[in-house]
Amino acid sequence: MLNIVIFGAPGSGKGTQSEKIVEKYGINHISTGDVLRAEIKNGTELGKTAKGYIDQGQLIPDSLMVDILAAKFDSFENSKGVIFDGFPRTIPQAEALKQMLKERGQEVSVMLDLEVPEDELMDRLIKRGQMSGRADDNEETIKKRLVVYHSQTSPLIDWYKQDGKYQHINGLGELDRIFADICAAIDKVK
Ligand code: AMP
């Protein structure tokens, strides 16, 4: 299986590039943000819990996220691989992902770090909020999400470097150039 972690700050293009990767490589997509938004829409207990955190720009507790992720992963049949979009976001989540894959005879093939400068992230997220109406894409919550990214999520860069899975991708510029760089990184580990 081809198991890809697509990584980056909010607004770095993880969702957009994931769609292109899914189309080209025929793998399954897990966006933990999308899973949570669907739960909120359906008014489930999980959705109610998640909404409180999401609206504050905070992360959902690791124990909850790890269970959600494993259930989604196990729902795929005859999968050629999975792209993990928005997970892991903390070191305990990365450790749990490694363990979960190991128990299934799998491992992360590559971690792609989409790097985009902070002012550009802010611009993109404000524009996205105007188009999509995503409740957490407003200036105040975006700022909180970026703080959370720097404090809790960015330490994963060194974690994946140490794990030998890290690939840097310049996430600024033409969509197709970024995608070409991503494909080159994936094809090296395929
Ligand atoms: P995203 O769509 O990936 O930007 O996620 C939107 C929000 O969902 C985040 O700001 C978090 O509140 C929550 N979320 C998504 N994925 C995770 C995760 N792996 N761990 C904790 N919270 C998450």
Coordinates of all heavy atoms in Angstrom, one line a residue, residues 24-78:
K24 N -4.9 10.5 -9.4 CA -3.8 9.9 -10.2 C -3.4 8.5 -9.6 O -3.1 7.6 -10.4 CB -2.6 10.9 -10.1 CG -1.3 10.3 -10.7 CD -0.3 11.2 -11.1 CE 0.9 10.5 -11.7 NZ 2.0 11.3 -12.1
Y25 N -3.4 8.3 -8.3 CA -2.8 7.1 -7.8 C -3.9 6.1 -7.4 O -3.6 5.0 -7.0 CB -1.9 7.4 -6.6 CG -0.6 8.1 -7.1 CD1 -0.5 9.5 -7.0 CD2 0.5 7.4 -7.6 CE1 0.6 10.2 -7.4 CE2 1.6 8.1 -8.0 CZ 1.7 9.5 -7.9 OH 2.8 10.2 -8.4
G26 N -5.2 6.5 -7.4 CA -6.3 5.6 -7.1 C -6.3 5.1 -5.6 O -6.6 4.0 -5.4
I27 N -5.8 6.0 -4.7 CA -5.8 5.6 -3.3 C -7.0 6.3 -2.6 O -7.7 7.2 -3.2 CB -4.5 6.0 -2.6 CG1 -4.2 7.5 -2.7 CG2 -3.4 5.1 -3.3 CD1 -2.9 7.9 -2.0
N28 N -7.3 5.8 -1.4 CA -8.4 6.4 -0.6 C -7.9 7.7 0.2 O -6.7 7.8 0.4 CB -8.9 5.4 0.4 CG -9.5 4.2 -0.3 OD1 -8.9 3.1 -0.3 ND2 -10.6 4.4 -0.8
H29 N -8.8 8.5 0.5 CA -8.5 9.8 1.1 C -9.2 9.8 2.5 O -10.4 9.6 2.7 CB -9.1 10.9 0.3 CG -8.9 12.3 0.7 ND1 -9.7 13.4 0.3 CD2 -8.0 12.8 1.6 CE1 -9.2 14.5 0.9 NE2 -8.2 14.2 1.6
I30 N -8.4 10.1 3.5 CA -9.0 10.4 4.9 C -8.6 11.9 5.2 O -7.5 12.2 5.5 CB -8.4 9.5 6.0 CG1 -8.7 8.0 5.6 CG2 -9.1 9.9 7.3 CD1 -8.2 7.1 6.7
S31 N -9.7 12.7 5.2 CA -9.5 14.1 5.7 C -10.2 14.1 7.1 O -11.5 14.0 7.1 CB -10.1 15.1 4.8 OG -10.4 16.3 5.5
T32 N -9.5 14.2 8.2 CA -10.1 14.2 9.5 C -11.0 15.4 9.7 O -12.1 15.4 10.3 CB -9.1 14.1 10.6 OG1 -8.0 15.0 10.4 CG2 -8.6 12.7 10.7
G33 N -10.6 16.6 9.0 CA -11.5 17.8 9.1 C -12.8 17.5 8.4 O -13.9 17.8 9.0
D34 N -12.8 16.8 7.2 CA -14.0 16.5 6.5 C -14.9 15.6 7.4 O -16.1 15.7 7.4 CB -13.8 15.9 5.2 CG -13.3 16.9 4.1 OD1 -13.3 18.1 4.4 OD2 -12.8 16.5 3.0
V35 N -14.3 14.6 8.0 CA -15.0 13.6 8.8 C -15.7 14.4 9.9 O -16.9 14.2 10.2 CB -14.1 12.5 9.4 CG1 -14.8 11.7 10.4 CG2 -13.4 11.6 8.3
L36 N -15.0 15.3 10.6 CA -15.6 16.0 11.7 C -16.7 16.9 11.2 O -17.8 17.0 11.9 CB -14.5 16.8 12.4 CG -13.4 16.0 13.1 CD1 -12.3 16.9 13.6 CD2 -14.0 15.2 14.3
R37 N -16.5 17.6 10.1 CA -17.6 18.5 9.5 C -18.8 17.7 9.2 O -19.9 18.2 9.4 CB -17.0 19.3 8.4 CG -16.2 20.5 8.8 CD -15.7 21.4 7.6 NE -14.7 20.7 6.8 CZ -13.4 20.7 7.1 NH1 -12.9 21.4 8.1 NH2 -12.6 20.1 6.3
A38 N -18.6 16.5 8.7 CA -19.8 15.6 8.4 C -20.6 15.3 9.6 O -21.8 15.2 9.7 CB -19.4 14.4 7.6
E39 N -19.8 15.0 10.7 CA -20.4 14.6 12.0 C -21.2 15.8 12.5 O -22.3 15.6 13.1 CB -19.4 14.2 13.0 CG -18.6 12.9 12.7 CD -19.4 11.7 12.9 OE1 -20.3 11.7 13.7 OE2 -19.1 10.6 12.2
I40 N -20.7 17.0 12.4 CA -21.4 18.2 12.8 C -22.7 18.4 12.0 O -23.7 18.6 12.6 CB -20.5 19.5 12.7 CG1 -19.3 19.4 13.6 CG2 -21.3 20.7 12.9 CD1 -18.2 20.4 13.5
K41 N -22.6 18.2 10.7 CA -23.7 18.4 9.8 C -24.8 17.4 10.2 O -26.0 17.7 10.2 CB -23.3 18.2 8.4 CG -24.1 18.9 7.4 CD -23.6 18.9 6.0 CE -24.7 19.0 5.0 NZ -24.3 18.3 3.7
N42 N -24.4 16.2 10.6 CA -25.4 15.1 10.9 C -25.9 15.2 12.4 O -26.7 14.4 12.8 CB -24.8 13.7 10.7 CG -24.6 13.5 9.2 OD1 -25.3 14.1 8.4 ND2 -23.6 12.7 8.8
G43 N -25.3 16.2 13.1 CA -25.8 16.4 14.5 C -25.5 15.3 15.5 O -26.2 15.1 16.4
T44 N -24.4 14.5 15.2 CA -24.1 13.4 16.1 C -23.5 13.9 17.4 O -23.0 15.1 17.5 CB -23.1 12.5 15.4 OG1 -21.9 13.2 15.2 CG2 -23.6 11.9 14.1
E45 N -23.4 13.0 18.4 CA -22.7 13.4 19.6 C -21.3 13.8 19.4 O -20.8 14.8 19.9 CB -22.7 12.2 20.6 CG -24.0 12.0 21.4 CD -24.5 13.3 22.1 OE1 -23.6 13.9 22.8 OE2 -25.6 13.7 21.9
L46 N -20.6 13.0 18.5 CA -19.2 13.4 18.2 C -19.1 14.7 17.5 O -18.2 15.5 17.9 CB -18.6 12.3 17.2 CG -17.3 12.6 16.6 CD1 -16.2 12.7 17.6 CD2 -16.9 11.4 15.6
G47 N -20.1 15.0 16.7 CA -20.1 16.3 16.0 C -20.3 17.5 17.0 O -19.6 18.5 16.9
K48 N -21.1 17.2 18.0 CA -21.4 18.3 19.0 C -20.1 18.6 19.8 O -19.7 19.7 20.0 CB -22.5 17.9 20.0 CG -23.9 18.0 19.3 CD -25.0 17.6 20.3 CE -26.2 17.3 19.4 NZ -27.1 16.3 20.1
T49 N -19.4 17.5 20.2 CA -18.1 17.6 20.9 C -17.1 18.4 20.0 O -16.4 19.3 20.4 CB -17.5 16.2 21.3 OG1 -18.6 15.5 21.9 CG2 -16.3 16.4 22.1
A50 N -17.0 17.9 18.7 CA -16.0 18.5 17.8 C -16.2 19.9 17.6 O -15.3 20.7 17.5 CB -16.0 17.7 16.5
K51 N -17.5 20.3 17.5 CA -17.8 21.7 17.1 C -17.2 22.7 18.1 O -16.6 23.8 17.7 CB -19.3 21.9 17.0 CG -19.7 23.3 16.4 CD -21.2 23.3 16.2 CE -21.7 24.7 15.7 NZ -20.8 25.8 15.6
G52 N -17.2 22.4 19.4 CA -16.7 23.3 20.4 C -15.2 23.5 20.2 O -14.8 24.7 20.3
Y53 N -14.5 22.5 19.8 CA -13.0 22.7 19.6 C -12.8 23.4 18.3 O -12.0 24.4 18.2 CB -12.3 21.3 19.5 CG -12.3 20.6 20.8 CD1 -13.3 19.6 21.1 CD2 -11.4 20.9 21.8 CE1 -13.2 18.9 22.3 CE2 -11.3 20.2 23.0 CZ -12.3 19.2 23.3 OH -12.2 18.6 24.5
I54 N -13.5 23.0 17.2 CA -13.2 23.6 15.9 C -13.5 25.1 15.9 O -12.7 25.9 15.4 CB -14.1 22.8 14.8 CG1 -13.6 21.4 14.7 CG2 -14.0 23.6 13.5 CD1 -14.3 20.5 13.7
D55 N -14.6 25.5 16.5 CA -15.0 26.9 16.5 C -14.0 27.7 17.3 O -13.9 29.0 17.0 CB -16.4 27.1 17.1 CG -17.5 26.6 16.2 OD1 -17.2 26.3 15.0 OD2 -18.6 26.6 16.6
Q56 N -13.2 27.1 18.2 CA -12.2 27.8 18.9 C -10.8 27.7 18.3 O -9.9 28.2 18.8 CB -12.1 27.3 20.4 CG -13.3 27.5 21.2 CD -13.6 29.0 21.3 OE1 -12.7 29.8 21.6 NE2 -14.9 29.4 21.1
G57 N -10.8 27.0 17.1 CA -9.5 26.9 16.5 C -8.6 25.9 17.2 O -7.4 25.8 16.9
Q58 N -9.1 25.1 18.1 CA -8.3 24.1 18.9 C -8.4 22.7 18.3 O -9.3 22.5 17.5 CB -8.9 24.1 20.4 CG -8.8 25.4 21.1 CD -7.4 26.0 21.2 OE1 -6.4 25.2 21.4 NE2 -7.2 27.3 21.0
L59 N -7.5 21.9 18.7 CA -7.5 20.5 18.3 C -8.5 19.6 19.1 O -8.6 19.8 20.3 CB -6.1 19.9 18.3 CG -5.0 20.6 17.5 CD1 -3.7 19.8 17.6 CD2 -5.5 20.6 16.0
I60 N -9.1 18.7 18.4 CA -9.9 17.7 19.1 C -8.9 16.7 19.9 O -7.8 16.4 19.4 CB -10.7 16.9 18.1 CG1 -12.0 17.7 17.8 CG2 -11.1 15.5 18.6 CD1 -11.8 18.8 16.9
P61 N -9.3 16.2 21.1 CA -8.3 15.4 21.9 C -7.8 14.2 21.1 O -8.6 13.6 20.3 CB -9.2 15.0 23.1 CG -10.2 16.0 23.2 CD -10.5 16.5 21.8
D62 N -6.6 13.9 21.3 CA -5.9 12.8 20.5 C -6.7 11.5 20.6 O -6.8 10.8 19.6 CB -4.5 12.6 21.0 CG -3.6 13.7 20.7 OD1 -3.8 14.4 19.7 OD2 -2.5 13.9 21.4
S63 N -7.1 11.1 21.8 CA -7.7 9.8 22.0 C -8.9 9.6 21.1 O -9.1 8.6 20.4 CB -8.1 9.5 23.4 OG -8.9 10.6 23.8
L64 N -9.7 10.7 21.0 CA -10.9 10.7 20.1 C -10.5 10.6 18.6 O -11.0 9.8 17.9 CB -11.6 12.0 20.4 CG -13.1 12.0 20.1 CD1 -13.8 11.0 20.9 CD2 -13.7 13.4 20.5
M65 N -9.5 11.4 18.2 CA -9.1 11.4 16.8 C -8.5 10.1 16.4 O -8.7 9.6 15.2 CB -8.0 12.5 16.6 CG -8.5 13.9 16.7 SD -9.9 14.2 15.7 CE -9.5 13.8 14.1
V66 N -7.8 9.4 17.3 CA -7.1 8.2 16.9 C -8.2 7.1 16.6 O -8.1 6.3 15.6 CB -6.1 7.7 18.0 CG1 -5.6 6.3 17.8 CG2 -5.0 8.7 18.0
D67 N -9.2 7.0 17.4 CA -10.3 6.1 17.2 C -11.0 6.4 15.8 O -11.4 5.4 15.1 CB -11.3 6.1 18.3 CG -10.7 5.5 19.6 OD1 -9.7 4.9 19.5 OD2 -11.4 5.7 20.7
I68 N -11.3 7.6 15.6 CA -12.0 8.0 14.4 C -11.1 7.6 13.2 O -11.6 7.0 12.2 CB -12.2 9.6 14.3 CG1 -13.1 10.0 15.4 CG2 -12.7 10.0 13.0 CD1 -13.2 11.5 15.6
L69 N -9.8 7.8 13.3 CA -8.9 7.5 12.1 C -8.9 6.0 11.9 O -9.0 5.6 10.7 CB -7.5 8.0 12.4 CG -6.6 7.8 11.2 CD1 -6.7 9.0 10.3 CD2 -5.2 7.5 11.6
A70 N -8.8 5.2 12.9 CA -8.7 3.8 12.7 C -9.9 3.2 12.1 O -9.9 2.4 11.2 CB -8.4 3.1 14.1
A71 N -11.1 3.7 12.6 CA -12.4 3.2 12.1 C -12.5 3.6 10.6 O -12.9 2.7 9.8 CB -13.5 3.9 12.8
K72 N -12.1 4.8 10.2 CA -12.2 5.2 8.8 C -11.2 4.3 7.9 O -11.5 3.8 6.9 CB -11.8 6.7 8.7 CG -11.9 7.3 7.3 CD -13.3 7.8 7.0 CE -13.4 8.3 5.6 NZ -14.7 8.5 5.1
F73 N -10.0 4.1 8.5 CA -9.0 3.3 7.7 C -9.5 1.9 7.5 O -9.4 1.4 6.4 CB -7.7 3.3 8.5 CG -6.5 2.6 7.8 CD1 -5.7 3.3 7.0 CD2 -6.3 1.3 8.0 CE1 -4.7 2.7 6.3 CE2 -5.2 0.6 7.4 CZ -4.4 1.4 6.5
D74 N -10.1 1.3 8.5 CA -10.6 -0.1 8.4 C -11.9 -0.2 7.5 O -12.3 -1.3 7.2 CB -10.8 -0.6 9.8 CG -9.5 -0.9 10.5 OD1 -8.5 -1.0 9.9 OD2 -9.5 -0.9 11.8
S75 N -12.5 0.9 7.2 CA -13.7 0.9 6.4 C -13.4 0.7 4.9 O -14.3 0.3 4.1 CB -14.5 2.1 6.6 OG -13.9 3.2 5.9
F76 N -12.1 0.9 4.5 CA -11.8 0.7 3.1 C -11.5 -0.8 2.8 O -10.9 -1.5 3.5 CB -10.5 1.5 2.7 CG -10.7 3.0 3.0 CD1 -9.7 3.6 3.6 CD2 -11.8 3.7 2.5 CE1 -9.8 5.0 3.9 CE2 -11.9 5.0 2.8 CZ -10.9 5.7 3.4
E77 N -12.0 -1.2 1.6 CA -11.8 -2.6 1.2 C -10.9 -2.6 0.0 O -11.0 -1.8 -0.9 CB -13.1 -3.3 0.9 CG -13.8 -3.8 2.1 CD -15.2 -4.3 1.9 OE1 -15.5 -4.7 0.7 OE2 -16.1 -4.2 2.8
N78 N -10.0 -3.6 -0.1 CA -9.0 -3.7 -1.2 C -8.4 -2.4 -1.5 O -8.3 -2.1 -2.7 CB -9.7 -4.3 -2.4 CG -10.4 -5.6 -2.2 OD1 -9.8 -6.5 -1.5 ND2 -11.6 -5.8 -2.7

